[in-house]
Amino acid sequence: MYRYFIQPQLNKYNNTLIGYELLMKRDTPEGWRPPVHFSDIPSHTLAEVLIETTKLLSLKIGSVSVNLNRTQLMDPEVRKAIILSQSQLRPLKLVVELTEEPGNEQWTNEQMIPLIKQFKDYGMDFSLDDVGTGENKLERINSLVPLADEMKFAIQNFAEKFRDPDIENKVIFWRDFTNEHNLRFILEGIEDKNDDRLADSLEIDLRQGYFYGRPHLLKLNGDK
């Protein structure tokens, strides 16, 4: 069984909740676990759970974010569910986060761009997740940047996090890149006070991580 967990995103400077990210997990004998790959989730399951989840979300926040890899973005059933979910969420905005995972098939940016534009035509925002890693390295996403409203940098993808000065330089690069392109920049993976203080020193306002709130299960109607 798959369900979404929700994790808060906040503006640290004015201490406000700006949205939630939906994080898919599977109920296993060892407890709730994220899939090893997003592509492991059957498209019809993702679509059904997303639609049922967004029916329940009437939270007074700005947005709800959902992750898709490239294969899922190209799947007609998933896209239909995304569009229906946005209609259910209004006036909340759905943010489609394109992950760094390539998916099962190779898709070009040129193939994805018309579909991303369709999402935006329905009032959604487009986010590039985990920038600087996997399929979301800069040279691979350049043609997607003009469509983006947001970029996210995940410090948990790097073992040493901020304690490695090169990681700090990467954060600064993406912070400045998003400023130059008038995009939101969310720093995620902030787990403790040291991460929080260093984010303060880099003047990053939008944040996400265990330090501010762990993901919690959003039960659907009929769940025990």
Side-chain angles (χ1 to χ4, degrees):
M1 180 174 70
Y2 288 94
R3 289 292 181 267
Y4 276 114
F5 282 59
I6 61 174
Q7 185 175 34
Q9 300 169 327
L10 73 152
N11 185 320
K12 174 68 184 299
Y13 287 175
N14 58 25
N15 196 32
T16 58
L17 180 69
I18 62 169
Y20 283 102
E21 180 176 358
L22 301 179
L23 302 165
M24 184 73 86
K25 294 189 179 184
R26 186 178 186 181
D27 192 9
T28 74
E30 293 76 37
W32 291 96
R33 297 289 185 271
V36 177
H37 303 290
F38 284 112
S39 299
D40 295 340
I41 308 169
S43 59
H44 67 275
T45 299
L46 188 153
E48 289 173 1
V49 176
L50 179 62
I51 290 167
E52 290 303 309
T53 299
T54 52
K55 281 182 183 177
L56 299 177
L57 288 173
S58 57
L59 306 168
K60 296 184 182 299
I61 53 175
S63 65
V64 173
S65 300
V66 61
N67 294 295
L68 297 181
N69 64 23
R70 282 153 171 77
T71 295
Q72 290 168 332
L73 188 147
M74 297 298 296
D75 188 298
E77 187 174 14
V78 173
R79 293 200 306 276
K80 183 178 179 180
I82 292 286
I83 291 168
L84 178 57
S85 294
Q86 176 61 87
S87 70
Q88 293 177 161
L89 282 168
R90 286 193 177 95
L92 274 69
K93 183 183 289 288
L94 190 65
V95 181
V96 176
E97 295 188 10
L98 183 66
T99 71
E100 84 287 1
E101 184 183 281
N104 297 330
E105 303 168 72
Q106 292 295 317
W107 300 101
T108 66
N109 289 353
E110 288 68 30
Q111 290 172 299
M112 293 189 294
I113 284 172
L115 306 179
I116 296 168
K117 287 181 176 178
Q118 184 183 44
F119 287 154
K120 292 176 69 69
D121 287 343
Y122 277 93
M124 302 176 215
D125 277 1
F126 174 61
S127 175
L128 289 161
D129 194 18
D130 295 337
V131 289
T133 61
E135 291 295 301
N136 285 349
K137 292 184 173 70
L138 182 58
E139 63 271 16
R140 301 186 185 183
I141 60 172
N142 263 322
S143 62
L144 301 179
V145 171
L147 295 174
D149 302 281
E150 171 187 286
M151 288 186 171
K152 300 178 74 176
F153 185 91
I155 60 174
Q156 74 267 25
N157 289 342
F158 301 91
E160 296 301 318
K161 299 194 297 185
F162 278 134
R163 287 169 283 283
D164 180 343
D166 189 48
I167 299 306
E168 186 171 336
N169 290 336
K170 287 183 172 70
V171 175
I172 291 170
F173 169 83
W174 287 105
R175 179 202 64 186
D176 293 347
F177 183 89
T178 53
N179 283 340
E180 291 167 9
H181 290 82
N182 297 311
L183 306 177
R184 295 189 303 273
F185 179 63
I186 298 180
L187 187 65
E188 56 182 339
I190 297 175
E191 297 183 352
D192 54 37
K193 290 182 179 178
N194 290 330
D195 294 345
D196 182 61
R197 281 195 292 266
L198 280 160
D200 284 343
S201 72
L202 295 177
E203 300 182 343
I204 296 168
D205 55 351
L206 305 182
R207 308 179 193 180
Q208 181 179 339
Y210 285 179
F211 184 68
Y212 311 114
R214 289 180 174 270
H216 63 272
L217 174 64
L218 189 65
K219 290 186 177 181
L220 301 182
N221 293 330
D223 286 352
K224 294 181 180 180

